[in-house]
Amino acid sequence: MPPNPSPLTAPTAEDFRAWHRVQSAALAHDRPGEPVLSATALQAKLTTTGNRSRLLLWLVRNANEEPVATATLRLFNEPGRSHLAEVRMTVHPAYRRLGTGSRLLSTVTEAAAEAGCRSVVTEVMAGTPHEGFLATRDFQPVLRLTWQRLALDDVPDRIHKLPDVPHPGYRLTSWEGVVPDALAESFADARRGMDDMPTGAVDFGEVRWDVDAVREAAEVIARRGERLLTVAAVDALDGSVAGYTELVIPAEGAGTAQQYDTAVLPAHRGHGLGLWVKAEMLRRVREEFPQLSAVQTDNADDNRHMLALNTALGFRPLRRTVEYQLTLGRR
């Protein structure tokens, strides 16, 4: 009989090492060749959150105290998203099809219901048995995503010239970490450029950005030991942020960087600002982080504009995933 999952309320260093073993084994099996987070980086991600959300953790061990599965449940504290929970669950390849995943998923979704959530979302690789596993448990596919990867050695030559191409009425600026005070208000406003991001049928809710929220998001990344870089296009007339792109550099300054948000406010679209800021970001990281090998990003399949923009920059398809959603109380 599968072990009873119980929440990890006071994780130890050994718990995090065990968690890392499960994650590493699953990644090697499911996505061979992709980089594995270090144990230190993984622990930082599991233990560092801001005021807008919190994480509940489960680590399942068998009768021999071997780690066999992990799960996280992200609960949102902000009013516009308190109805939604995000689940990330991993079962060690050697212990699959033994019932552990079923019991763990049931435990985690019950915890979401007890927290007052109405929807649970999770993400799995497209075309794998994980899709059938969720479908038989009343989860519905709500968003399809394409992940892309850019090898920094393969950036097309023409992209290196784009930052020097003038865009009348705009100028480029950049910063690391927390946004400078002079741009804080307009940068928070520029987050509205993500409001029309395709989210499929996900019960996404409303993300409200203000200066405090923008600063806190950057501070959380810093507490994880990572580095947040931002490049923005600024309106030359009033000095406000018209569009921006963000990249998170691993703590080691090497390996694969993760693309975060890229957005242009509706009033400033049609001027090539998205390509401009992303090209400048690539120029900067190639110069300042020579040990970085690649940048990774994901976009909804419906976001054809951003997928095409990334392809123009040299990104290539890496994998496809599907977000599934469970409406609590249906079963």
Side-chain angles (χ1 to χ4, degrees):
M1 179 178 292
N4 275 319
S6 57
L8 198 60
T9 55
T12 65
E14 172 52 33
D15 289 329
F16 288 119
R17 287 192 290 269
W19 192 295
H20 187 257
R21 291 198 294 275
V22 173
Q23 297 290 308
S24 299
L27 186 62
H29 180 272
D30 299 334
R31 287 150 43 193
E34 291 197 31
V36 180
L37 274 180
S38 69
T40 300
L42 177 62
Q43 181 173 341
K45 286 185 179 295
L46 294 175
T47 57
T48 309
T49 60
N51 296 325
R52 293 159 71 92
S53 69
R54 63 192 188 277
L55 275 180
L56 304 182
L57 311 177
W58 283 262
L59 173 64
V60 181
R61 298 178 184 268
N62 63 13
N64 297 321
E65 287 299 305
E66 298 165 326
V68 300
T70 66
T72 64
L73 177 68
R74 183 175 295 278
L75 300 172
F76 295 94
N77 301 326
E78 51 191 327
R81 304 195 74 195
S82 60
H83 66 280
L84 182 67
E86 293 180 349
V87 173
R88 294 291 181 265
M89 194 175 79
T90 304
V91 179
H92 193 294
Y95 298 97
R96 293 176 181 174
R97 301 184 183 277
L98 299 175
T100 300
S102 297
R103 296 189 68 178
L104 183 55
L105 183 62
S106 178
T107 297
V108 174
T109 54
E110 286 173 8
E114 290 172 1
C117 299
R118 69 170 182 249
S119 300
V120 173
V121 293
T122 190
E123 186 176 345
V124 295
M125 289 277 290
T128 66
H130 304 308
E131 287 202 77
F133 172 81
L134 293 173
T136 58
R137 289 158 178 81
D138 291 335
F139 280 78
Q140 301 294 318
V142 288
L143 184 66
R144 298 188 179 276
L145 300 159
T146 295
W147 289 73
Q148 297 173 296
R149 180 181 183 275
L150 171 63
L152 290 173
D153 287 341
D154 294 337
V155 177
D157 289 340
R158 62 184 179 81
I159 299 302
H160 299 298
K161 302 175 183 177
L162 287 179
D164 296 324
V165 175
H167 286 63
Y170 300 95
R171 61 179 174 83
L172 288 175
T173 189
S174 63
W175 64 86
E176 179 174 336
V178 176
V179 59
D181 290 346
L183 292 173
E185 288 282 356
S186 71
F187 183 54
D189 291 341
R191 293 280 181 171
R192 295 199 312 272
M194 296 294 292
D195 287 351
D196 57 359
M197 173 184 69
T199 56
V202 178
D203 188 9
F204 192 74
E206 180 184 2
V207 180
R208 300 173 185 172
W209 289 100
D210 57 23
V211 172
D212 288 341
V214 165
R215 287 173 174 156
E216 184 193 49
E219 289 163 357
V220 167
I221 291 170
R223 292 203 302 271
R224 294 199 307 244
E226 299 168 322
R227 299 173 69 173
L228 173 65
L229 306 182
T230 305
V231 173
V234 173
D235 187 316
L237 290 177
D238 62 14
S240 65
V241 175
Y244 67 93
T245 190
E246 299 174 312
L247 197 69
V248 174
I249 309 294
E252 303 84 2
T256 300
Q258 182 64 50
Q259 177 76 63
Y260 271 34
D261 290 349
T262 299
V264 176
L265 281 168
H268 297 279
R269 291 174 184 170
H271 302 289
L273 300 185
L275 187 62
W276 198 33
V277 295
K278 292 190 80 164
E280 169 64 9
M281 178 69 81
L282 293 177
R283 183 200 63 76
R284 179 175 173 181
V285 296
R286 279 172 57 93
E287 290 183 1
E288 299 179 18
F289 299 90
Q291 291 183 292
L292 277 181
S293 58
V295 175
Q296 185 171 284
T297 187
D298 67 288
N299 292 106
D301 285 0
D302 292 341
N303 196 348
R304 300 186 185 281
H305 172 76
M306 191 57 68
L307 289 170
L309 189 155
N310 288 337
T311 298
L313 289 166
F315 282 83
R316 297 293 176 261
L318 179 63
R319 62 178 179 273
R320 299 188 71 239
T321 60
V322 185
E323 287 202 9
Y324 275 77
Q325 181 171 283
L326 174 68
T327 301
L328 297 171
R330 286 183 55 189
R331 292 180 294 174

